[in-house]
């Protein structure tokens, strides 16, 4: 990344033509976008699955195993209870539980996309991880709102 970024950085083309500067800017933007994608485990998984011809179906495929659906309901109820009661410690504890679950799912995802080559499982894990991201964002919003009111 650093090598590519140094080769296409717009500053290297400051004295070039308008077209050269524009192309350098486009290449730099693409290099930055690629770096962001590869740095984020979930975005990287989506990208790798796409290379293998798999669509994670995050917008259209809501099928989840029953145990995960039950866990989702419990987490949603815990967030609602924490919001209603203002129990920030409970929300922080829930965030820790979710982070532990996320680490476990990332390990499973790495195995599914790596040695196991189980791309269907990878798609399912991406959908689960997306849910965890949204749930964590919801917890953050509740905590930020409470912080702003202080």
């Amino acid at each position: 990344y650093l090598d590519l970024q140094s080769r296409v950085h717009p500053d290297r083309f400051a004295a070039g033509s308008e077209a050269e500067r524009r192309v350098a800017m486009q290449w730099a933007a693409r290099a930055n976008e690629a770096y962001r994608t590869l740095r984020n485990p979930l975005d990287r998984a989506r990208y790798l699955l796409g290379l293998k011809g798999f669509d994670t179906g995050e917008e259209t495929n809501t099928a989840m195993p029953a145990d995960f659906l039950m866990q989702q309901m419990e987490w949603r109820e815990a967030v609602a209870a924490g919001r209603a009661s203002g129990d920030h410690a409970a929300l922080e504890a829930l965030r820790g539980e979710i982070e532990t679950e996320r680490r476990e799912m990332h390990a499973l995802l790495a195995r599914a996309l790596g040695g196991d080559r189980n791309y269907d499982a990878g798609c399912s894990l991406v959908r689960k991880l997306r849910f965890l991201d949204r749930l964590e964002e919801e917890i953050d919003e509740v905590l930020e709102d409470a912080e702003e009111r202080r």
Side-chain angles (χ1 to χ4, degrees):
Y1 165 75
L2 293 176
D3 179 53
L4 178 62
Q5 186 63 292
S6 70
R7 285 190 277 150
V8 299
H9 196 278
D11 289 349
R12 291 184 60 123
F13 299 89
S17 69
E18 177 67 28
E20 288 173 323
R21 289 193 308 269
R22 190 172 345 111
V23 168
M25 184 68 77
Q26 291 169 344
W27 274 106
R30 291 189 65 146
N32 288 332
E33 181 183 343
Y35 181 70
R36 278 191 300 277
T37 297
L38 295 176
R39 253 183 77 213
N40 180 297
L42 197 51
D43 291 341
R44 183 174 56 246
R46 282 186 196 105
Y47 178 76
L48 293 172
L49 286 163
L51 287 177
K52 297 293 184 182
F54 286 80
D55 178 5
T56 59
E58 295 166 66
E59 301 300 326
T60 57
N61 186 346
T62 58
M64 294 278 182
D67 60 332
F68 188 74
L69 291 173
M70 292 301 294
Q71 184 65 62
Q72 281 185 29
M73 288 175 46
E74 289 175 21
W75 282 331
R76 289 262 178 234
E77 289 171 2
V79 171
R83 174 182 281 139
S85 69
D87 189 349
H88 303 145
L91 290 171
E92 290 289 352
L94 179 59
R95 186 189 336 213
E97 181 182 333
I98 291 168
E99 185 54 38
T100 298
E101 186 73 18
R102 180 191 326 280
R103 280 193 301 273
E104 291 172 8
M105 284 187 195
H106 279 185
L108 291 171
L109 183 58
R111 194 167 57 229
L113 298 182
D116 291 354
R117 293 180 181 9
N118 186 344
Y119 304 122
D120 289 324
C123 289
S124 176
L125 286 161
V126 166
R127 290 190 301 274
K128 289 178 181 180
L129 284 161
R130 183 165 185 234
F131 168 79
L132 294 182
D133 284 348
R134 286 188 301 220
L135 186 61
E136 192 168 41
E137 288 170 9
E138 188 176 334
I139 292 169
D140 289 344
E141 287 174 14
V142 171
L143 293 173
E144 286 172 14
D145 287 347
E147 190 65 35
E148 289 174 4
R149 282 188 233 133
R150 284 186 183 174

